[in-house]
Structure formats: C-alpha cells, structure tokens
Amino acid sequence: MTTTDSSLEAFRQELTEWLQANCPASVLKGAEAQPTEAERNAWLEAFAGRGYTTPTWPKEYGGGGLSKEETKVLHQEVARTASYMPIVSFFGTAMLGPVLLEFANEEQKQEHLPKITRGEINWCQGYSEPGSGSDLASLQTRAVREGDQYLINGSKIWTTGADQADWIFCLVRTDTEVPKHDGISFILFDMHQPGVTISPIPLISGASDFCQVFFEDVKAEARNLVGTLNGGWTIAKRLLQHERQMLSAGPAAGDEGASRPKKGASAKPKAPKSMLAETARRYLTDQGEQLAEPALRDRIVQYELDSLCLGLSLKRSGQQARAGQGPGAATSMFKLYASELNKRRSEILMSVRGADGLGWSGDAFAPIDLFETRGWLRSKGNSIEGGTSEVQLNVIAKRVLGLPD
Amino acid sequence: MSLVLTEEQELLKETAAEFLREHAPVTHLRELRDCEDAVGFSKKLWKEMAALGWAGIPFEEAFGGADLGLAELGVVLEECGRTLAPYPFLSTVVMGGGVVAAAGSDAQKQAILPGVCAGDTILALAFQETGRFSPYAISTKAEAASGGFKLSGEKVFVFDGHVADHLIVAARTSGVAGDRDGLTLFLVDAGTEGCDVTRTNTIDSRNTARVQLSGVAVGSDAVLGEIGAGADLLDRTFDRATAALSAELVGISTEVFERTVTYLKTREQFGVLIGTFQALKHRAAEMFCQVELSQAVALDALRALDEDRPGTSRLVSAAKARCSDTASLVTCEGLQMHGGIGMTDEEEIGLFLKRAKVAELSLGDAAYHRDRFARLTGF
C-alpha cells in the first residue's frame, strides 16, 4: 500500500490529536513526574488498542493496518510527543506473529494475533535441544497424536525467558520414519501445565536469561498445529529469518532519517562523535586531539566505519524489499555482521578500560564498568544464538551464492 | 535518503553494461597493452561514449553536458570497473573538468568544457609529487613573472597526463610543501614550452605520466579560482574523485566476486566441485558481505556529494577505506581460489588485481582514509 502526501499529512494530523488526548501526562516528553505502573499500563492499553504495537498488521487481527509510510510517521510522532513507545514482547510481534500471518489458518490468527498485539501472552521459542544446536533439524522432542491433542515429550534448551513465558511456539518431531527435515511440525501450547519443568541456566556473565525446559506428557491442542503436519521446517526457517532480521537491527542500525523535517529552523548538523573514542578519552590519560595509541585508534575507527557501512546496507536492503515482502536470505549477512561487530565493540571497551574493566562485583568498581564487563561476557553469545556465525555463512553460501552441497 | 538506483539510473547502468561488454571488455585493455598503444585507450570509442552523453554527465547543458550528478557518473564507473575499461573519466570528467566547472572563469569554461563533453578534449590534474598520497605535499613553484607566472617542478602519477591537451597544475604561490595555504591551480596548455611530459608504465596498463615543468610561462588568465586558496578546490576535487574511484572499485570487486563464485561451481578437484568445500564456502560468503557493504557506502558517498550533505568528506573516506579493503580482499581471494591458473597472464583475474591495487593506492589508501575518518569524527 502506498500513501499519497496529502493523506499522509491527514494521518499525521489525526495521530497528533490522538496522542495529545491519549498519552498520559506523565509520559509526555519533558514531564517531571515518573509514570506510575497504572499510567504505563494505560498508555500501553491505549496504544495497543489502536493496533500500534504491530502497526502494519491488518486491523482484523488487532494490528494498526498502517502502510510503511504511515508507520514511519507513527514512530516520528510518538518520538516527538512521548518519552517512550510502549512495546510488547518481540517473540510475539517480530517472530511468531509474522509467521502466523503467513502460515496459520483463520481460526489460529483470530485466536493468537490480537493477544500478541496487546502483549497479553508472553511467548517463548522452543527450538534448540541439548543434541540439536546448529543441526537444528535433528531435533528429537516428540509429539504423538491422541484424540484432539498431541502428547509432547522431550527437552528444549537455550529457551530465552521460558521461566517468564505463558505459551511456547515449539518445533516437534511428528514423524520419525522420514528424512529429518520432513518430520517436523510447528505447534503452540500452554506452558502453565503439569509436566513442564523449567530450569534457568547460569551463564558466564552471571545472568540466567536462558533456560532448559523439560516436557513430560505435556498436552497441546491439535488445532494449534500451525501449517501442515510435518511441514514445520519451512515455518521454522521463515521464523529464523525474522529472528535474524531482528537481531541485526542492533546498535548500528539507527535510522538517521527518522526525525521530522524541520521547517525554517537552521538545523546545525551535530558533529559526528564516536562513543568508543569518547570512552577511550575518559579512561586513557594524556590524550591529545588524536588518541595517542595508534593501534587502538585504528581498532576504534575500523569499528565505527564498519558499523556505519552496516547501517547503510541495512537501510539499502530495507529500501530494496518491496512492501509486503518478508526478509530474504541476506538477513543472514546482517545477523552475522551485527553480532561480530557487537563482539568487537565489547572487546574494544575491555581494552580501553584496562584493569577498571576486570571487576566482577563490589564497591571497588564503578557500576558502569561492572555493567559493561558483564556485557562483554554476554556478547560472546551473539555469534552463537539465533544460528552461529558459521551457520550464517553456510546459509549465505547455499541460499545466496548457490554453492553446491 | 535513497540507497537504491532510480529508474533512469538503472537504465543508464544497463546501457553502460551492454556498451562496455560489447566494445570495451577486458580483452580490449589486453589488446591495448599488447600492442603498446601510444594513447592507451581508443579515442574513437571515447568519442562514442561522449556521444552517449557520458563525458558530459556532471556538466551544465550550456556546455553540452547532461546536468546530472556524480551518482550517475558512478553508475558508469562501476561498469567500467567490471570490464577494466581504461577511459579518462577520472582525469578529464571528474578531476580536470570538475575543477574548471567549479572554479573556472566564463572564458575558461567556454574554452574547455564543450570539448570535454564532446570527447575531444582530454584533461589531467597534475598535483602529486610524492609516492604515497599526501594532498598538500606540493613544492612545485609558481613565481610571479611579467604578465603571469613561471611554473617549475616535477609531478608524478598524473592520470592520462601523456595524452592530455591541457594540464591543471597545482603549484605554490607561497609557503612550503605540506602547507595547506599558498596553493594555486593553473590551466596549462600541454604543448607550452618547458612542459615535458613522459608516459610511465604502471601495473594496470593504464595511463599515467611524469610531468617536468621547467619555467613554464603562463598568463595570469591561467589561474583557476583564487590565488593561494587552491587547497579548497583540491579538497573538493579529491573528495569527488575519491568517491568516483570507490565506485570503480565496487565494479571491480563485484565482477571478481561473481567470477570467483562461478569458478567454484565449475572447477572440480578430488572428484567434486570445489564449491562444496566449506573452507571456500565461508570465505566466499565473507566476500559477499564485504561487497554488499561496499556497494551501499559507495552509493551513499556519491549521493552525499550531489546533495552537498554535511559530513560528506567523512562519508567519502568511509567509502574509499571500505571499497579499497574489499577490492583487495576479493582480488586476492579470487586469485587464490582460481589456483595456479589465477597466476597466469592469460586468466583475467590478474588484470583485475593490478587495476585494483592502483585504484586502492590512488588518492589515499584504506589506512589513509581511516585516519582521515577518525580525524573528521573528532579522534
């Protein structure tokens, strides 16, 4: 859907009025008071009520029914009016939702999509298993039909937020007699039921945002099997593309063009700055106009340059994609590059801070240093989760370059 | 800001690709090299390119130009990179013509630009005096003489200098080598007494020259722009030429990358296609990423120059750094993956490697531009 300039302006006008009327005073930009939880909820409810948490989804499923241009206007106006934009879980909006729109039947869409939009259900992703990491299609969790239900047995691992989740979208084996890719189904079920055991996994960073989940005769309604029986691998791959697209929209992917064009005001361009270089100045002594350690300076400039180029490539790829067209295999490139870049950034921050960055806990270290250091440890997982960098390279070689198996 | 080609640009790209594949494929450069052609390109073909409007892309219609931008020129240069077409876009259109269009008097523009647009006039910017690029390391002197100036000094690596009708010489009216102030640009007829031009053979079989200036007398009407403020003009010209060269590097990288992937799909060893080996697959995929990143930043730099966006110089440096590194990676990996055949003169990969190295080291290599990028980012 394209939108003409005049109808876009009308939309902007109407939206501005709606925001003025519905954004709680404490959420308005520059408000002195912090919003209470009730006010935050009211803001989310009003926002989601218009479908704005999933602006491009059709209205009949709780979406906003907006065009790409209108969505851009929405982001601009909310950024101008409110101190934050209400968001709901990405598992629903950016991963599960798009594949339901593409593969689910009408009944499934009606049941699940509006709840995703309103953030009513916390979703988690049941993909990896202890024996199936990069070789995801070898997964063993079984689903056996019994009447109107499937009985599920097995275990999932690296399940982000499973301990907070209400429902799971899960890859299960529904046929063991066929090649591994052909016996997988994509099914949705409730996590709050007997037979589900969840244990968080402490990571090297000290956080436990991943869990291992065990299923013992857990029940899933047969009507919640999405797509065709044993046709789940296609959906699984599609969802991974959406996931990669989300993961690659990292720090490098800011949209500089998002600010509203200024009228009359002589917009003085901000001098470009490097956050890493500024940080280096704070930690290293005796720095002149140029950072005094040329090798370190070059690592910083290489990072900044690559991050600029990645941002431009992402923007270009977005412009190339026709409206309604989902992410292609090139998302692997962005996932690969964004995660490797973030790891580099974290490594540079460690180098810059030296011993100040070696603290694990306690008052002897500044909170920001402790935070960054945990972040460095966490960043090591960037090139493993959502498909390792090596898997992304395989995908590019096969799907983009067409290299033979 | 758009990072995709417009319909008109897509059309230009197709026309350029078709024309160059037919008339100036890589074999064309090889023939010119093997017969030791005195010009180094076909003047007849350059006239044909001019007739297609390419030589006049960035110039005003009043001079016979198309009044388009660098983005359009970049489209043509990228295609030139794909076939290694050795035509004087950089020397005559971007650098020489660019200086005249930006700073020339009406009389100078009238005298020069119509010939450029028609493909009759070749220009060369004689600025460089050192091996490694250093924009203001200029010692060539311009001393006041009766009715004008006398130029003395030696220029190296002057693109298309040996066939240029006019040289644009950067010389010092004051200061010493390294100073930004005190530079002045002069429009010099290549046939002027005391102006000695010698062609130099470079690895890419392209056309560069050494220019010896021994008291070359020019009138005061030869000055381009303001006396002593030539650095501003040079900076602008270097930015534009650097972005244009980045587009050529993208063409080279894209072509070599595609040829290499094709080779991986056809060459068999150990009874299988070598493209089945993961060690090669991953390296090919890495190259793909670098080529993609280069395409985006090169295009954005050209557009930024056309739009006169703030922060453009920084973006130009980003483009040259990235495109140089990518071309170096892709030509080296491309050669390696072609194995022994890649080392032969008969296989074309080597010709791409050589041109890529010249383009990489011209107007500042990746290290130079990373340093400049950092300075322009405030560190």
Side-chain angles (χ1 to χ4, degrees):
Chain A
M1 194 192 332
T2 55
T3 322
T4 63
D5 283 355
S6 63
S7 75
L8 204 59
E9 273 317 300
F11 171 73
R12 191 191 292 277
Q13 185 63 33
E14 191 257 346
L15 178 66
T16 316
E17 283 161 23
W18 182 85
L19 283 169
Q20 291 300 338
N22 290 277
C23 184
S26 57
V27 177
L28 288 174
K29 228 175 182 169
E32 277 178 23
Q34 285 288 318
T36 62
E37 202 185 327
E39 286 163 335
R40 296 181 77 93
N41 287 339
W43 175 220
L44 170 62
E45 216 168 288
F47 200 73
R50 300 265 288 192
Y52 289 163
T53 45
T54 51
T56 57
W57 292 9
K59 279 189 170 170
E60 58 200 294
Y61 305 126
L66 303 186
S67 67
K68 276 193 167 176
E69 293 89 343
E70 287 169 337
T71 303
K72 207 168 172 184
V73 169
L74 173 70
H75 290 154
Q76 290 169 358
E77 291 304 318
V78 172
R80 231 163 46 88
T81 311
S83 56
Y84 73 94
M85 175 141 71
I87 46 165
V88 295
S89 164
F90 290 124
F91 282 107
T93 58
M95 292 162 65
L96 176 60
V99 299
L100 288 182
L101 280 168
E102 189 174 346
F103 297 99
N105 62 34
E106 190 55 33
E107 186 197 345
Q108 292 165 340
K109 288 184 195 172
Q110 292 288 357
E111 179 174 351
H112 297 292
L113 291 172
K115 291 183 197 163
I116 289 175
T117 290
R118 295 193 298 265
E120 274 174 27
I121 302 284
N122 272 327
W123 285 93
C124 67
Q125 177 185 21
Y127 266 47
S128 297
E129 295 182 5
S132 306
S134 287
D135 183 14
L136 179 61
S138 69
L139 58 93
Q140 298 294 323
T141 294
R142 287 279 281 140
V144 178
R145 182 82 185 235
E146 267 196 17
D148 290 340
Q149 295 180 320
Y150 283 93
L151 275 189
I152 301 187
N153 283 282
S155 176
K156 294 289 175 181
I157 197 166
W158 314 127
T159 315
T160 307
D163 48 347
Q164 313 285 327
D166 304 307
W167 276 64
I168 187 167
F169 51 89
C170 196
L171 297 180
V172 290
R173 184 151 303 283
T174 37
D175 193 335
T176 52
E177 305 293 309
V178 289
K180 59 184 179 181
H181 294 95
D182 302 331
I184 295 169
S185 297
F186 187 98
I187 197 163
L188 318 173
F189 58 89
D190 195 339
M191 290 285 278
H192 303 299
Q193 59 167 306
V196 176
T197 314
I198 301 163
S199 49
I201 307 166
L203 299 181
I204 54 171
S205 60
S208 311
D209 38 1
F210 298 116
C211 301
Q212 183 166 5
V213 186
F214 302 89
F215 302 122
E216 219 184 307
D217 286 339
V218 165
K219 296 180 179 68
E221 299 299 327
R223 63 184 163 82
N224 278 324
L225 189 144
V226 179
T228 55
L229 181 65
N230 297 323
W233 185 243
T234 307
I235 306 177
K237 279 189 299 183
R238 193 75 176 145
L239 190 137
L240 284 176
Q241 288 185 344
H242 288 289
E243 180 180 9
R244 282 173 205 141
Q245 192 176 46
M246 184 181 74
L247 291 175
S248 55
D255 184 3
E256 298 152 46
S259 63
R260 195 182 185 184
K262 291 175 189 67
K263 282 183 191 143
S266 65
K268 200 170 179 201
K270 264 190 285 179
K273 270 208 157 67
S274 156
M275 191 282 270
L276 286 178
E278 297 305 309
T279 307
R281 271 187 209 294
R282 282 203 305 279
Y283 284 87
L284 306 173
T285 47
D286 302 329
Q287 301 298 307
E289 213 167 285
Q290 286 184 16
L291 295 184
E293 286 185 57
L296 179 64
R297 178 172 177 263
D298 198 51
R299 277 172 72 199
I300 295 176
V301 67
Q302 295 224 28
Y303 166 83
E304 294 293 352
L305 223 143
D306 287 344
S307 137
L308 174 95
C309 292
L310 174 65
L312 289 170
S313 282
L314 272 164
K315 196 172 278 183
R316 176 166 173 261
S317 139
Q319 290 173 359
Q320 282 169 336
R322 292 271 169 273
Q325 201 182 349
T331 52
S332 281
M333 162 184 142
F334 295 127
K335 195 279 172 183
L336 165 78
Y337 216 78
S339 51
E340 294 296 336
L341 255 183
N342 196 45
K343 281 167 61 178
R344 262 163 67 189
R345 180 186 163 280
S346 297
E347 283 292 341
I348 293 172
L349 275 174
M350 289 303 284
S351 296
V352 163
R353 297 177 306 135
D356 291 339
L358 298 179
W360 176 254
S361 63
D363 297 341
F365 298 93
I368 179 71
D369 284 326
L370 294 173
F371 174 82
E372 293 286 9
T373 300
R374 300 292 179 110
W376 163 69
L377 287 163
R378 180 61 186 84
S379 75
K380 295 300 168 205
N382 295 159
S383 50
I384 300 168
E385 61 211 344
T388 62
S389 287
E390 291 71 20
V391 164
Q392 307 306 335
L393 289 168
N394 284 348
V395 173
I396 295 169
K398 184 175 173 140
R399 305 265 168 232
V400 185
L401 309 185
L403 288 172
D405 278 327
Chain B
M1 98 195 160
S2 171
L3 286 164
V4 287
L5 297 183
T6 62
E7 243 172 78
E8 289 80 9
Q9 289 165 348
E10 283 288 354
L11 198 67
L12 175 63
K13 186 183 172 73
E14 275 169 40
T15 314
E18 215 171 288
F19 181 92
L20 293 167
R21 265 199 307 266
E22 191 180 336
H23 301 286
V26 181
T27 47
H28 176 60
L29 175 72
R30 186 189 290 281
E31 281 160 21
L32 291 163
R33 179 194 74 173
D34 291 349
C35 74
E36 295 179 36
D37 187 273
V39 175
F41 58 88
S42 154
K43 284 195 165 177
K44 182 174 157 283
L45 205 57
W46 179 237
K47 279 285 285 179
E48 284 179 42
M49 292 186 201
L52 286 166
W54 299 350
I57 284 177
F59 304 116
E60 287 172 42
E61 283 174 20
F63 303 115
D67 214 359
L68 293 168
L70 275 181
E72 282 77 15
L73 204 55
V75 165
V76 176
L77 275 164
E78 190 177 325
E79 295 308 317
C80 286
R82 277 180 165 257
T83 68
L84 298 177
Y87 285 82
F89 286 104
L90 202 64
S91 60
T92 301
V93 182
V94 184
M95 299 178 96
V99 168
V100 173
S105 64
D106 285 344
Q108 286 168 328
K109 287 190 210 173
Q110 251 342 314
I112 302 292
L113 295 181
V116 168
C117 294
D120 294 326
T121 304
I122 303 295
L123 305 176
L125 181 64
F127 65 93
Q128 193 160 338
E129 299 181 10
T130 53
R132 197 171 159 80
F133 178 71
S134 176
Y136 317 124
I138 292 171
S139 329
T140 294
K141 278 205 167 9
E143 288 166 311
S146 61
F149 297 86
K150 269 195 160 85
L151 310 179
S152 304
E154 194 182 356
K155 298 291 182 181
V156 296
F157 209 61
V158 180
F159 302 136
D160 296 315
H162 67 304
V163 284
D165 302 294
H166 305 275
L167 300 168
I168 291 165
V169 177
R172 274 209 177 275
T173 33
S174 66
V176 292
D179 289 356
R180 200 178 174 284
D181 288 335
L183 292 168
T184 307
L185 270 53
F186 297 91
L187 183 62
V188 181
D189 191 315
T192 312
E193 204 186 322
C195 184
D196 184 25
V197 180
T198 322
R199 183 175 184 181
T200 43
N201 286 321
T202 46
I203 49 174
D204 60 347
S205 315
R206 293 278 276 263
N207 319 300
T208 59
R210 205 170 267 271
V211 176
Q212 182 77 47
L213 302 153
S214 320
V216 174
V218 293
S220 51
D221 59 350
V223 173
L224 281 159
E226 269 179 65
I227 291 177
D232 292 340
L233 202 48
L234 281 178
D235 283 352
R236 176 187 184 276
T237 307
F238 290 150
D239 267 354
R240 295 170 67 83
T242 302
L245 204 50
S246 301
E248 189 191 332
L249 281 163
V250 167
I252 292 173
S253 299
T254 309
E255 180 70 19
V256 174
F257 170 68
E258 287 174 4
R259 287 178 179 218
T260 303
V261 169
T262 303
Y263 191 71
L264 295 180
K265 291 178 187 173
T266 46
R267 168 75 173 167
E268 282 187 26
Q269 284 291 278
F270 305 104
V272 292
L273 294 171
I274 61 172
T276 58
F277 300 142
Q278 197 175 41
L280 298 185
K281 278 183 178 173
H282 281 193
R283 282 155 62 188
E286 287 280 5
M287 282 197 271
F288 167 78
C289 296
Q290 298 301 334
V291 171
E292 284 282 316
L293 294 188
S294 303
Q295 289 169 348
V297 72
L299 183 58
D300 200 41
L302 292 164
R303 295 244 161 113
L305 283 160
D306 284 339
E307 294 162 13
D308 204 13
R309 237 187 268 157
T312 294
S313 293
R314 178 172 173 269
L315 194 57
V316 167
S317 277
K320 184 60 162 53
R322 161 56 56 225
C323 296
S324 296
D325 278 345
T326 299
S328 174
L329 172 84
V330 173
T331 50
C332 291
E333 285 283 78
L335 193 147
Q336 174 71 19
M337 291 185 194
H338 276 77
I341 196 81
M343 283 300 292
T344 63
D345 181 57
E346 189 187 349
E347 165 56 48
E348 291 179 345
I349 287 288
L351 297 175
F352 283 97
L353 173 85
K354 292 174 190 172
R355 175 59 193 164
K357 182 53 78 182
V358 172
E360 177 195 333
L361 294 180
S362 297
L363 300 170
D365 65 358
Y368 173 88
H369 282 286
R370 279 203 299 272
D371 176 71
R372 183 169 179 253
F373 180 91
R375 278 186 277 120
L376 294 173
T377 313
F379 67 101

